[in-house]
């Protein structure tokens, strides 16, 4: 008369979720990843060899990013996707990591997390709406201040309520 395998797995996961050490370790790892992301974005160099854009073809193969190749890829991806918002996202994940590290045993506050994600995406769209030209950072020129996602959201808002209404 044993319990089904799925019930054992659910019990194991529930114990892990309530474990103080596992929560602290997860929060600490998220904080460390956030610090690495901050350093990667701040030390971005457009001439680093990455998988994105033309810099991989023109580069001498060296990486000038403080975090290395992974940092160069991460910074390029964040800047291409979110534009200026790439400087804000690591700080939001740092706050989330700290809250996980310091919190008592309770469920993650999903409505607040979704609201912060929506606010972040709105910031990217607002950057695109306010500054419609290309921006330059780290020797690289980006098509939109809001990145790819902010540009698409800005375009959607402009098509629905025009530029003045979208801002």
């Amino acid at each position: 008369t044993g319990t089904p395998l799925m019930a054992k797995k659910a019990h194991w996961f529930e114990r892990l979720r309530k474990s103080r050490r596992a929560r602290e370790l997860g929060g600490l790892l998220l904080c460390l990843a956030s610090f690495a992301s901050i350093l990667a974005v701040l030390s971005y160099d457009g001439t680093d060899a990455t998988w994105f854009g033309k810099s991989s073809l023109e580069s001498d193969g060296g990486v000038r990013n403080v975090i290395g190749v992974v940092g160069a890829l991460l910074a390029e991806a964040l800047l291409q996707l979110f534009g200026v918002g790439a400087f804000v996202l690591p700080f939001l994940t740092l706050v989330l990591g700290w809250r996980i590290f310091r919190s008592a045993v309770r469920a993650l506050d999903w409505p607040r997390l979704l609201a912060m994600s929506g606010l972040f995406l709105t910031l990217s769209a607002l950057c695109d709406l306010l500054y419609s030209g290309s921006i330059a950072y780290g020797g690289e020129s980006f098509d939109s201040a809001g990145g790819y996602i902010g540009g698409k959201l800005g375009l959607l808002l402009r098509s629905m309520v025009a530029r003045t209404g979208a801002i």
Side-chain angles (χ1 to χ4, degrees):
T1 67
T3 60
L5 183 60
M6 290 303 291
K8 286 182 180 180
K9 284 186 178 182
H11 178 68
W12 172 83
F13 180 74
E14 192 63 29
R15 280 195 341 228
L16 181 65
R17 188 180 69 81
K18 290 182 178 179
S19 168
R20 179 178 176 207
R21 286 188 180 151
R23 188 180 62 252
E24 287 177 350
L25 180 64
L28 183 65
L29 289 175
L30 187 56
C31 286
L32 290 174
S34 298
F35 279 125
S37 298
I38 290 168
L39 289 174
V41 171
L42 290 177
S43 65
Y44 172 76
D45 190 342
T47 60
D48 284 345
T50 62
W51 294 334
F52 309 101
K54 62 184 183 298
S55 61
S56 61
L57 301 175
E58 298 172 354
S59 178
D60 59 358
V63 175
R64 293 171 186 84
N65 196 294
V66 174
I67 306 299
V69 175
V70 173
L73 290 169
L74 178 65
E76 181 80 24
L78 288 175
L79 287 165
Q80 290 288 347
L81 287 174
F82 302 113
V84 177
F87 294 98
V88 177
L89 184 62
F91 289 103
L92 292 176
T93 56
L94 180 66
V95 169
L96 178 64
W98 180 252
R99 289 185 62 108
I100 291 171
F101 180 77
R102 297 289 298 164
S103 72
V105 177
R106 61 180 172 186
L108 190 59
D109 191 6
W110 287 105
R112 183 173 292 175
L113 186 63
L114 287 173
M116 290 301 288
S117 300
L119 184 63
F120 172 71
L121 292 174
T122 303
L123 171 71
S124 292
L126 185 63
C127 288
D128 179 68
L129 290 168
L130 290 177
Y131 190 74
S132 58
S134 64
I135 61 168
Y137 176 70
E140 180 84 16
S141 180
F142 297 95
D143 295 333
S144 169
Y148 179 79
I149 292 175
K152 294 299 180 187
L153 286 174
L155 183 64
L156 176 69
L157 288 172
R158 278 192 300 269
S159 70
M160 292 177 9
V161 292
R163 182 177 176 171
T164 306
I167 292 175

